[in-house]
Amino acid sequence: MQQFHFLRPFWLLALPVLWGLSVWLARRRGRDGDWARLIDPDLLPALRLAGDGKPGRSPWLWLALAWTLAALALAGPSWQRAPSPAYRGNAAWVLVLDLSPSMAAADLAPNRVTRARYALDDLLDAAHDARVGLVVFSDEAYTVTPLTDDVATVRALLPPLAPGIMPTRGDDLAPALEQAGKLLAHGGSQSGQVVVVTDGFADPAAAFDAAGKLRSRGIAVNVVGVGARGGGFVRTGQSNARPLDVDRLRQLAASGGGHYVDAAGLTALVGDLQARASRAGMTRAAQDIRVAHWLDGGVWLLPFLLLFAGLLARRGWL
């Protein structure tokens, strides 16, 4: 107990005030609240709420104890320390998922969007301490999750993602890249990685320009292609899905300073993402730096405080 101290000792200054208030209330109750000056002494006992001419209870000692416990709890008594991480890596990934109608094509079993979700799941497994955000797009971009280190929540949101949930049809990537850049900026990341999982896009000029702007800010744009190469159009619903345009996807990755891979080459991309995160400062040695912080023991006084509050709430005690 040599290390016992209060985290917020200024709350202790309230104790003399509370004790003085308790004494004043007790003395005031003892004088019948000054009613004896106005009512005949023989009549006053019959007018008391306690009835039967008996004086009411005066639990001012219990009230003083309750106030004392409250002040001590607020002061934060502490005698134990616990370690906590002192460093947090600045790695941040924004995953961009294509939910245009063509992603429903079944040229890859069971379909393109399901294979895209598999790829995102693998990326989430590799995120470790990186913060992850998720954006989907068709003709407009929508943020599913902002940057967060709660990877489990992001993973739980993947299964419902399909082209059918989008309010409109389209295939414009540029707004999604702009939205990814905003998420990284709002998350305070000095650098970041954008991973686009798509079968193609209808706005190449705008998409290349958006990727170049991200690159100029130190944000790399990587591309994962989903779909079968070559061949003709694939029938999906009431429209035809284009075959995978690898050249266009490679050009997008080059504009963004990242890499292009297909689903089979995802392992190489994961290794590159983790290597870039390490170079950005998320080293193992830095992750192991820890500091000890004092635990607030005031919480252990709350059950006793609730007990006193329950007793004082009895009818007639106050």
Side-chain angles (χ1 to χ4, degrees):
M1 297 296 289
Q2 295 179 351
Q3 295 182 329
F4 181 86
H5 67 287
F6 290 97
L7 300 177
R8 298 173 294 274
F10 288 107
W11 278 105
L12 299 177
L13 298 177
L15 286 176
V17 178
L18 295 174
W19 291 337
L21 180 59
S22 298
V23 172
W24 179 80
L25 288 172
R27 294 183 62 183
R28 183 177 178 84
R29 179 66 175 267
R31 296 197 305 267
D32 295 314
D34 291 334
W35 284 109
R37 299 180 181 180
L38 304 175
I39 301 176
D40 187 275
D42 296 329
L43 181 60
L44 182 59
L47 296 178
R48 289 176 175 152
L49 292 177
D52 299 329
K54 298 179 182 179
R57 300 182 183 90
S58 299
W60 306 111
L61 175 61
W62 302 109
L63 181 63
L65 288 175
W67 282 347
T68 300
L69 287 176
L72 291 175
L74 290 170
S78 181
W79 60 93
Q80 293 177 307
R81 305 180 75 176
S84 61
Y87 176 85
R88 181 180 185 181
N90 196 40
W93 302 352
V94 177
L95 310 179
V96 178
L97 175 61
D98 185 353
L99 290 184
S100 61
S102 62
M103 290 294 286
D107 52 343
L108 293 179
N111 53 39
R112 292 180 181 181
V113 71
T114 301
R115 295 292 287 268
R117 291 199 299 263
Y118 292 162
L120 292 180
D121 194 67
D122 290 341
L123 289 167
L124 292 175
D125 284 337
H128 299 310
D129 292 331
R131 291 175 296 157
V132 179
L134 178 60
V135 174
V136 298
F137 74 94
S138 54
D139 65 332
E140 296 182 3
Y142 302 91
T143 298
V144 179
T145 63
L147 286 179
T148 176
D149 52 10
D150 187 359
V151 175
T153 296
V154 181
R155 180 179 283 109
L157 296 173
L158 292 181
L161 299 180
I165 71 171
M166 303 302 282
T168 54
R169 300 163 62 91
D171 201 3
D172 295 333
L173 175 59
L177 294 178
E178 294 170 0
Q179 185 65 23
K182 292 178 182 178
L183 290 183
L184 291 169
H186 293 163
S189 178
Q190 299 299 323
S191 61
Q193 301 284 323
V194 175
V195 181
V196 181
V197 184
T198 180
D199 62 354
F201 43 92
D203 57 341
F208 297 157
D209 182 65
K213 290 179 179 179
L214 291 177
R215 182 180 183 177
S216 66
R217 293 169 46 190
I219 300 171
V221 178
N222 304 278
V223 183
V224 179
V226 180
R229 297 189 180 189
F233 285 85
V234 180
R235 187 70 178 176
T236 170
Q238 298 178 351
S239 61
N240 292 324
R242 59 180 169 272
L244 192 66
D245 189 344
V246 176
D247 292 338
R248 178 177 291 183
L249 297 180
R250 289 185 185 278
Q251 188 175 353
L252 174 66
S255 299
H259 299 282
Y260 168 78
V261 297
D262 56 19
L266 191 61
T267 301
L269 176 60
V270 167
D272 181 70
L273 292 175
Q274 293 177 329
R276 293 193 184 203
S278 179
R279 289 195 297 268
M282 196 177 68
T283 63
R284 183 64 186 174
Q287 292 179 44
D288 288 338
I289 298 176
R290 292 178 173 269
V291 296
H293 68 279
W294 291 100
L295 298 177
D296 192 339
V299 65
W300 299 109
L301 297 176
L302 296 182
F304 302 100
L305 179 59
L306 291 174
L307 176 62
F308 282 123
L311 291 174
L312 293 170
R314 295 181 61 184
R315 182 177 181 181
W317 272 53
L318 294 178

PDB file of all heavy atoms in Angstrom, residues 87 89-92 191-193 274-283:
ATOM      1  N   TYR A  87       2.367   2.591 -28.033  1.00  0.00           N
ATOM      2  CA  TYR A  87       2.576   2.970 -29.440  1.00  0.00           C
ATOM      3  C   TYR A  87       1.469   2.364 -30.277  1.00  0.00           C
ATOM      4  O   TYR A  87       1.061   1.220 -30.073  1.00  0.00           O
ATOM      5  CB  TYR A  87       3.934   2.464 -29.935  1.00  0.00           C
ATOM      6  CG  TYR A  87       4.190   2.730 -31.401  1.00  0.00           C
ATOM      7  CD1 TYR A  87       4.696   3.941 -31.818  1.00  0.00           C
ATOM      8  CD2 TYR A  87       3.906   1.759 -32.356  1.00  0.00           C
ATOM      9  CE1 TYR A  87       4.933   4.191 -33.163  1.00  0.00           C
ATOM     10  CE2 TYR A  87       4.135   1.996 -33.701  1.00  0.00           C
ATOM     11  CZ  TYR A  87       4.649   3.217 -34.095  1.00  0.00           C
ATOM     12  OH  TYR A  87       4.864   3.443 -35.417  1.00  0.00           O
ATOM     13  N   GLY A  89       0.545   1.836 -34.372  1.00  0.00           N
ATOM     14  CA  GLY A  89       0.997   1.999 -35.739  1.00  0.00           C
ATOM     15  C   GLY A  89       0.060   2.899 -36.526  1.00  0.00           C
ATOM     16  O   GLY A  89      -1.130   2.968 -36.267  1.00  0.00           O
ATOM     17  N   ASN A  90       0.639   3.552 -37.524  1.00  0.00           N
ATOM     18  CA  ASN A  90      -0.159   4.483 -38.312  1.00  0.00           C
ATOM     19  C   ASN A  90      -0.662   3.850 -39.598  1.00  0.00           C
ATOM     20  O   ASN A  90      -1.173   4.533 -40.469  1.00  0.00           O
ATOM     21  CB  ASN A  90       0.689   5.726 -38.638  1.00  0.00           C
ATOM     22  CG  ASN A  90      -0.158   6.888 -39.106  1.00  0.00           C
ATOM     23  OD1 ASN A  90      -1.231   7.122 -38.574  1.00  0.00           O
ATOM     24  ND2 ASN A  90       0.318   7.608 -40.121  1.00  0.00           N
ATOM     25  N   ALA A  91      -0.505   2.530 -39.740  1.00  0.00           N
ATOM     26  CA  ALA A  91      -0.940   1.855 -40.956  1.00  0.00           C
ATOM     27  C   ALA A  91      -2.455   1.920 -41.087  1.00  0.00           C
ATOM     28  O   ALA A  91      -3.186   1.691 -40.122  1.00  0.00           O
ATOM     29  CB  ALA A  91      -0.480   0.403 -40.954  1.00  0.00           C
ATOM     30  N   ALA A  92      -2.930   2.252 -42.277  1.00  0.00           N
ATOM     31  CA  ALA A  92      -4.371   2.365 -42.526  1.00  0.00           C
ATOM     32  C   ALA A  92      -4.653   1.871 -43.934  1.00  0.00           C
ATOM     33  O   ALA A  92      -3.993   2.284 -44.891  1.00  0.00           O
ATOM     34  CB  ALA A  92      -4.829   3.811 -42.350  1.00  0.00           C
ATOM     35  N   SER A 191      -0.002   8.324 -44.229  1.00  0.00           N
ATOM     36  CA  SER A 191       0.095   7.543 -45.465  1.00  0.00           C
ATOM     37  C   SER A 191      -0.895   6.402 -45.337  1.00  0.00           C
ATOM     38  O   SER A 191      -1.384   6.100 -44.252  1.00  0.00           O
ATOM     39  CB  SER A 191       1.518   7.006 -45.665  1.00  0.00           C
ATOM     40  OG  SER A 191       1.866   6.154 -44.584  1.00  0.00           O
ATOM     41  N   GLY A 192      -1.205   5.762 -46.419  1.00  0.00           N
ATOM     42  CA  GLY A 192      -2.173   4.686 -46.344  1.00  0.00           C
ATOM     43  C   GLY A 192      -2.160   3.867 -47.608  1.00  0.00           C
ATOM     44  O   GLY A 192      -1.424   4.142 -48.568  1.00  0.00           O
ATOM     45  N   GLN A 193      -2.988   2.845 -47.603  1.00  0.00           N
ATOM     46  CA  GLN A 193      -3.108   1.948 -48.728  1.00  0.00           C
ATOM     47  C   GLN A 193      -4.580   1.833 -49.109  1.00  0.00           C
ATOM     48  O   GLN A 193      -5.441   1.698 -48.242  1.00  0.00           O
ATOM     49  CB  GLN A 193      -2.581   0.554 -48.368  1.00  0.00           C
ATOM     50  CG  GLN A 193      -1.126   0.527 -47.922  1.00  0.00           C
ATOM     51  CD  GLN A 193      -0.174   0.681 -49.088  1.00  0.00           C
ATOM     52  OE1 GLN A 193      -0.431   0.158 -50.173  1.00  0.00           O
ATOM     53  NE2 GLN A 193       0.927   1.375 -48.876  1.00  0.00           N
ATOM     54  N   GLN A 274       1.914  -5.437 -45.933  1.00  0.00           N
ATOM     55  CA  GLN A 274       2.505  -5.538 -44.602  1.00  0.00           C
ATOM     56  C   GLN A 274       3.912  -4.964 -44.584  1.00  0.00           C
ATOM     57  O   GLN A 274       4.330  -4.342 -43.599  1.00  0.00           O
ATOM     58  CB  GLN A 274       2.499  -6.995 -44.149  1.00  0.00           C
ATOM     59  CG  GLN A 274       1.103  -7.539 -43.904  1.00  0.00           C
ATOM     60  CD  GLN A 274       1.104  -9.009 -43.535  1.00  0.00           C
ATOM     61  OE1 GLN A 274       1.971  -9.769 -43.966  1.00  0.00           O
ATOM     62  NE2 GLN A 274       0.120  -9.424 -42.752  1.00  0.00           N
ATOM     63  N   ALA A 275       4.670  -5.133 -45.673  1.00  0.00           N
ATOM     64  CA  ALA A 275       6.020  -4.570 -45.744  1.00  0.00           C
ATOM     65  C   ALA A 275       5.964  -3.050 -45.740  1.00  0.00           C
ATOM     66  O   ALA A 275       6.771  -2.388 -45.070  1.00  0.00           O
ATOM     67  CB  ALA A 275       6.727  -5.077 -47.005  1.00  0.00           C
ATOM     68  N   ARG A 276       5.002  -2.477 -46.475  1.00  0.00           N
ATOM     69  CA  ARG A 276       4.869  -1.016 -46.492  1.00  0.00           C
ATOM     70  C   ARG A 276       4.461  -0.494 -45.116  1.00  0.00           C
ATOM     71  O   ARG A 276       4.927   0.567 -44.689  1.00  0.00           O
ATOM     72  CB  ARG A 276       3.849  -0.597 -47.539  1.00  0.00           C
ATOM     73  CG  ARG A 276       4.275  -0.877 -48.972  1.00  0.00           C
ATOM     74  CD  ARG A 276       3.388  -0.165 -49.958  1.00  0.00           C
ATOM     75  NE  ARG A 276       3.723  -0.482 -51.346  1.00  0.00           N
ATOM     76  CZ  ARG A 276       3.425   0.289 -52.374  1.00  0.00           C
ATOM     77  NH1 ARG A 276       2.787   1.426 -52.173  1.00  0.00           N
ATOM     78  NH2 ARG A 276       3.754  -0.064 -53.605  1.00  0.00           N
ATOM     79  N   ALA A 277       3.609  -1.238 -44.443  1.00  0.00           N
ATOM     80  CA  ALA A 277       3.211  -0.820 -43.099  1.00  0.00           C
ATOM     81  C   ALA A 277       4.401  -0.838 -42.157  1.00  0.00           C
ATOM     82  O   ALA A 277       4.558   0.050 -41.310  1.00  0.00           O
ATOM     83  CB  ALA A 277       2.105  -1.740 -42.573  1.00  0.00           C
ATOM     84  N   SER A 278       5.260  -1.815 -42.319  1.00  0.00           N
ATOM     85  CA  SER A 278       6.452  -1.895 -41.481  1.00  0.00           C
ATOM     86  C   SER A 278       7.381  -0.726 -41.747  1.00  0.00           C
ATOM     87  O   SER A 278       7.923  -0.114 -40.826  1.00  0.00           O
ATOM     88  CB  SER A 278       7.182  -3.218 -41.735  1.00  0.00           C
ATOM     89  OG  SER A 278       8.351  -3.307 -40.953  1.00  0.00           O
ATOM     90  N   ARG A 279       7.540  -0.367 -43.020  1.00  0.00           N
ATOM     91  CA  ARG A 279       8.400   0.774 -43.340  1.00  0.00           C
ATOM     92  C   ARG A 279       7.806   2.080 -42.843  1.00  0.00           C
ATOM     93  O   ARG A 279       8.530   3.040 -42.592  1.00  0.00           O
ATOM     94  CB  ARG A 279       8.612   0.847 -44.857  1.00  0.00           C
ATOM     95  CG  ARG A 279       9.484  -0.256 -45.418  1.00  0.00           C
ATOM     96  CD  ARG A 279       9.951   0.072 -46.822  1.00  0.00           C
ATOM     97  NE  ARG A 279       8.833   0.179 -47.754  1.00  0.00           N
ATOM     98  CZ  ARG A 279       8.373  -0.837 -48.469  1.00  0.00           C
ATOM     99  NH1 ARG A 279       8.917  -2.049 -48.339  1.00  0.00           N
ATOM    100  NH2 ARG A 279       7.368  -0.675 -49.314  1.00  0.00           N
ATOM    101  N   ALA A 280       6.489   2.140 -42.703  1.00  0.00           N
ATOM    102  CA  ALA A 280       5.842   3.357 -42.209  1.00  0.00           C
ATOM    103  C   ALA A 280       6.016   3.525 -40.708  1.00  0.00           C
ATOM    104  O   ALA A 280       5.605   4.524 -40.145  1.00  0.00           O
ATOM    105  CB  ALA A 280       4.358   3.347 -42.546  1.00  0.00           C
ATOM    106  N   GLY A 281       6.606   2.536 -40.067  1.00  0.00           N
ATOM    107  CA  GLY A 281       6.886   2.707 -38.638  1.00  0.00           C
ATOM    108  C   GLY A 281       6.239   1.682 -37.751  1.00  0.00           C
ATOM    109  O   GLY A 281       6.448   1.711 -36.541  1.00  0.00           O
ATOM    110  N   MET A 282       5.461   0.746 -38.296  1.00  0.00           N
ATOM    111  CA  MET A 282       4.800  -0.232 -37.459  1.00  0.00           C
ATOM    112  C   MET A 282       5.707  -1.449 -37.313  1.00  0.00           C
ATOM    113  O   MET A 282       5.455  -2.515 -37.844  1.00  0.00           O
ATOM    114  CB  MET A 282       3.444  -0.656 -38.050  1.00  0.00           C
ATOM    115  CG  MET A 282       2.549  -1.374 -37.055  1.00  0.00           C
ATOM    116  SD  MET A 282       0.911  -1.780 -37.744  1.00  0.00           S
ATOM    117  CE  MET A 282       1.371  -3.013 -38.961  1.00  0.00           C
ATOM    118  N   THR A 283       6.803  -1.301 -36.589  1.00  0.00           N
ATOM    119  CA  THR A 283       7.735  -2.385 -36.369  1.00  0.00           C
ATOM    120  C   THR A 283       7.337  -3.159 -35.129  1.00  0.00           C
ATOM    121  O   THR A 283       6.631  -2.668 -34.251  1.00  0.00           O
ATOM    122  CB  THR A 283       9.158  -1.823 -36.187  1.00  0.00           C
ATOM    123  OG1 THR A 283       9.176  -1.009 -35.027  1.00  0.00           O
ATOM    124  CG2 THR A 283       9.571  -0.999 -37.390  1.00  0.00           C
TER     125      THR A 283
END
